Amino acid sequence: MLSKVDSCTVEGIDGFVVEVEVDISNGLPTFNMVGLPEVSVRESKDRVRAAIKNCGYSFPMERLVVNLAPADIKKEGTGFDLPVAVAILIATKLIPEGAAADYLISGELSLDGRIKPVKAVLPYAICAKQKGYKGIIIPKENAKEASMVKGIDVLAVKNLSQVVDFFSGFKQIEPLKVDDQRVQKDSRDRFQIDFSEVQGQQYAKRALEIAAAGFHHVLMTGPPGSGKSMLAKRLPTILPKLSFDEAIDVARIQSVIGLMESDSEGLPKRPFRAPHHTISDAGLVGGGSRPAPGEISLAHNGVLFLDELPEFKRNALEVLRQPLEDGCVCIARANAKAVYPSLFMLVAAMNPCPCGFLSDASGKCSCTAPQIQRYRSKISGPLLDRIDIQVEVPKVEYKDLSSKVKAESSSKIKNRVIHARMQQEKRLNKTGIACNALMDNRHLNAFCKLPYDGEKLLEQAVDVLGFSARACHSIIRVGRTIADLEQSKDILREHLGEAIGLRSFDRNIL
Ligand SMILES: Nc1ncnc2c1ncn2[C@@H]1O[C@H](COP(=O)(O)OP(=O)(O)O)[C@@H](O)[C@H]1O
Ligand SMILES: [Mg+2]
């Protein structure tokens, strides 16, 4: 007797259908699994056998073969337990043939038949919808993830008996209701921190506002204790909330590594990832023998904050270059390949020299020129070139620190940022990108006409200050964002001037 049930696995952040076929034939009782199952899948044999028995059903004492098709792709994870069990029970005629045909099924079984959560349920649900399934059967703990997808029945189950009763027609399972309110409520971003707590530092704040408005990468340089980390942590408070599609992409990545909290309300917030500088290349960009997304993908559509940038391994920083350019990272292994999106805003902070006091007026700095050179050289030119905004964060003056005047709040800054973003979306409509930082040469030619005196200024920057072509384009992009913030239709000379001022490394003033 042959039976077939559809399940799902994930490649990158996309789910694809795996057919679970079971054949029971006469012969000595054996249980074989074929179709490139990895260890965790092969072990499912014992779980499935025990779960079926402990739920009171009989396990066939015949020759049993399970095939996972397509057979040339490695199958991992524990999600095949439930579909294998269902397929066996169809083959033994406990479940009517064809009952499970309209559903994608995934779930791990415990020995007593309870169903445990699995990873990547959101990509599975999206796949089920795209492939036209009526619904998806998934563990109860993964319910909220799957219920972000509208238009399919999401059936969340607790144990094997419940699934058997459902397919046999004894008991219905109520599909989860997609709570539009919840989905729309979105990330009602509420923060404990606010920009008004940062005293002074007007120049750095302005730079972060521009960066947030155009999604530009930023590097902050300044002595210890000047508030660099403080400023970076407050960046999410001025970023616009995620659109529904952006939030789904963030949720898919979180779902793949099982990071989504089952009881979280609403869609995910804009990510803010701050990995420690001891992180490995694979941890940062993704990888491992079994491809998994790294910090840059977890920061997709959000902020990747690298504090104390020169302390990171040089290698780890170099591998950032390609994803910074492409907005995605492709991880290829001998037996697997995965593409993960990684469109993030890089925010980095560093001291100007090893002791940190180079730019300090007190003259405390004791670093020698070669020491400074060595420290700086950890950040390669090509990486620096890709950072649109490089800003100095000097020591805060006491008069600023003790000032009783409350600084501007995050919500006020955010309003300006949102307005500037709206301008960009209108202009870049139909280009497939949403913000200025993502403009390439084609977009620059189409949308960034420069005034005559602006051209002259750029000419000087390139010919006299020695800016690279990439830096020159980056100035135009930042100039466009400044114009958007100032609600100016055209880019003016002063906008470009401010953008040049925001490339302090290139101007060699540090
Ligand atoms: N501009 C500022 N306004 C208010 N407090 C500040 C400011 N700069 C620094 N501080 C205080 O100093 C502490 C250290 O700042 P931090 O951001 O960690 O400095 P950095 O990262 O530049 O070394 C902060 O937690 C805060 O209490
Ligand atoms: Mg710091």
Side-chain angles (χ1 to χ4, degrees):
M1 172 73 196
L2 183 73
S3 67
K4 183 179 92 62
V5 164
D6 289 342
S7 185
C8 210
T9 188
V10 73
E11 192 175 68
I13 58 164
D14 297 313
F16 67 91
V17 175
V18 172
E19 290 181 1
V20 177
E21 295 171 315
V22 167
D23 180 62
I24 300 180
S25 52
N26 290 335
L28 285 174
T30 50
F31 189 166
N32 280 325
M33 209 167 224
V34 294
L36 287 187
E38 285 281 301
V39 180
S40 57
V41 181
R42 263 178 279 151
E43 283 177 349
S44 100
K45 285 193 286 192
D46 296 323
R47 289 192 296 269
V48 169
R49 191 200 308 264
I52 289 181
K53 279 189 176 165
N54 290 330
C55 285
Y57 310 120
S58 62
F59 192 85
M61 295 303 284
E62 282 155 295
R63 209 176 99 84
L64 204 154
V65 179
V66 175
N67 179 36
L68 304 175
D72 58 345
I73 294 173
K74 285 217 164 167
K75 321 290 183 315
E76 278 177 294
T78 49
F80 294 110
D81 292 5
L82 183 60
V84 167
V86 171
I88 291 173
L89 295 176
I90 294 176
T92 59
K93 300 213 162 57
L94 185 76
I95 296 176
E97 208 183 333
D102 295 334
Y103 293 91
L104 271 193
I105 305 176
S106 183
E108 177 183 327
L109 283 173
S110 65
L111 300 186
D112 60 0
R114 272 178 302 128
I115 296 171
K116 294 196 179 161
V118 290
K119 288 178 184 171
V121 166
L122 180 56
Y124 296 172
I126 293 171
C127 170
K129 185 176 175 190
Q130 283 168 350
K131 297 277 183 231
Y133 286 86
K134 180 164 181 258
I136 181 164
I137 296 183
I138 43 124
K140 196 142 195 105
E141 277 93 336
N142 295 114
K144 282 201 172 144
E145 257 171 276
S147 67
M148 285 177 190
V149 182
K150 281 197 256 182
I152 52 166
D153 288 352
V154 176
L155 308 183
V157 288
K158 274 192 298 204
N159 55 47
L160 181 60
S161 320
Q162 204 186 352
V163 181
V164 173
D165 288 350
F166 171 69
F167 284 137
S168 314
F170 296 140
K171 250 189 213 153
Q172 280 305 311
I173 303 174
E174 203 51 41
L176 285 180
K177 292 235 164 28
V178 180
D179 182 354
D180 268 352
Q181 286 290 320
R182 182 175 76 86
V183 171
Q184 291 305 325
K185 211 167 23 177
D186 196 358
S187 31
R188 284 167 300 140
D189 300 340
R190 289 226 182 93
F191 298 95
Q192 310 287 346
I193 48 178
D194 197 278
F195 258 100
S196 59
E197 292 149 10
V198 185
Q199 302 287 4
Q201 303 295 19
Q202 291 311 328
Y203 190 60
K205 283 189 193 170
R206 165 81 175 162
L208 289 184
E209 178 178 336
I210 298 168
F215 211 58
H216 300 283
H217 304 310
V218 205
L219 170 64
M220 291 182 282
T221 314
S226 57
K228 301 181 296 295
S229 307
M230 201 180 173
L231 283 160
K233 283 178 191 147
R234 280 154 184 78
L235 196 56
T237 65
I238 59 165
L239 284 166
K241 70 177 183 184
L242 290 174
S243 71
F244 182 73
D245 288 345
E246 285 174 332
I248 287 286
D249 275 350
V250 172
R252 275 161 80 181
I253 298 166
Q254 293 179 350
S255 176
V256 165
I257 55 164
L259 223 167
M260 279 203 70
E261 292 155 22
S262 58
D263 57 349
S264 67
E265 277 300 318
L267 290 168
K269 281 193 181 147
R270 202 175 274 281
F272 180 87
R273 306 289 302 184
H276 190 252
H277 57 72
T278 48
I279 192 170
S280 67
D281 308 3
L284 193 60
V285 295
S289 58
R290 180 195 168 196
E295 286 292 331
I296 60 167
S297 298
L298 292 171
H300 179 62
N301 284 333
V303 175
L304 178 73
F305 176 41
L306 303 183
D307 206 355
E308 310 293 350
L309 190 68
E311 303 299 331
F312 280 79
K313 291 188 204 78
R314 193 178 164 123
N315 220 9
L317 294 183
E318 291 308 296
V319 289
L320 271 183
R321 273 157 52 180
Q322 179 265 328
L324 272 179
E325 202 93 321
D326 300 344
C328 65
V329 56
C330 177
I331 295 159
R333 293 287 177 271
N335 47 28
K337 188 173 150 238
V339 179
Y340 297 110
S342 60
L343 206 61
F344 57 91
M345 179 174 166
L346 174 66
V347 179
M350 65 183 277
N351 295 335
C353 64
C355 81
F357 295 101
L358 180 66
S359 49
D360 201 296
S362 63
K364 266 200 274 186
C365 177
S366 55
C367 304
T368 61
Q371 274 177 328
I372 298 172
Q373 175 64 26
R374 211 172 316 123
Y375 181 72
R376 297 257 182 101
S377 68
K378 292 205 189 151
I379 303 149
S380 69
L383 176 66
L384 211 52
D385 238 7
R386 286 170 169 83
I387 300 179
D388 285 347
I389 297 178
Q390 303 148 6
V391 65
E392 277 172 279
V393 185
K395 200 180 87 178
V396 238
E397 300 286 324
Y398 183 71
K399 85 171 161 23
D400 285 334
L401 206 55
S402 60
S403 165
K404 294 283 172 288
V405 185
K406 206 159 185 250
E408 197 174 26
S409 72
S410 291
S411 69
K412 278 198 182 143
I413 306 175
K414 186 173 172 173
N415 283 342
R416 294 198 293 270
V417 168
I418 290 174
H419 189 271
R421 281 278 178 105
M422 275 168 12
Q423 304 301 314
Q424 296 167 51
E425 275 164 25
K426 243 189 262 165
R427 184 180 328 113
L428 298 168
N429 180 21
K430 293 190 190 138
T431 55
I433 57 169
C435 32
N436 290 340
L438 305 176
M439 290 195 291
D440 60 18
N441 293 2
R442 255 175 326 131
H443 303 126
L444 290 181
N445 289 335
F447 304 114
C448 299
K449 213 173 125 1
L450 300 182
Y452 178 75
D453 52 356
E455 293 263 17
K456 284 280 154 219
L457 192 68
L458 273 185
E459 189 181 323
Q460 274 182 6
V462 174
D463 294 346
V464 181
L465 294 174
F467 281 20
S468 70
R470 190 186 271 126
C472 179
H473 288 156
S474 139
I475 289 167
I476 303 175
R477 280 193 292 264
V478 175
R480 183 63 264 176
T481 304
I482 297 173
D484 286 333
L485 273 173
E486 304 295 319
Q487 307 188 16
S488 158
K489 202 164 123 301
D490 299 312
I491 306 178
L492 305 180
R493 184 179 189 274
E494 66 208 56
H495 301 148
L496 293 171
E498 187 175 358
I500 292 173
L502 288 170
R503 289 194 73 90
S504 46
F505 255 89
D506 281 344
R507 291 182 298 131
N508 268 333
I509 58 155
L510 284 168

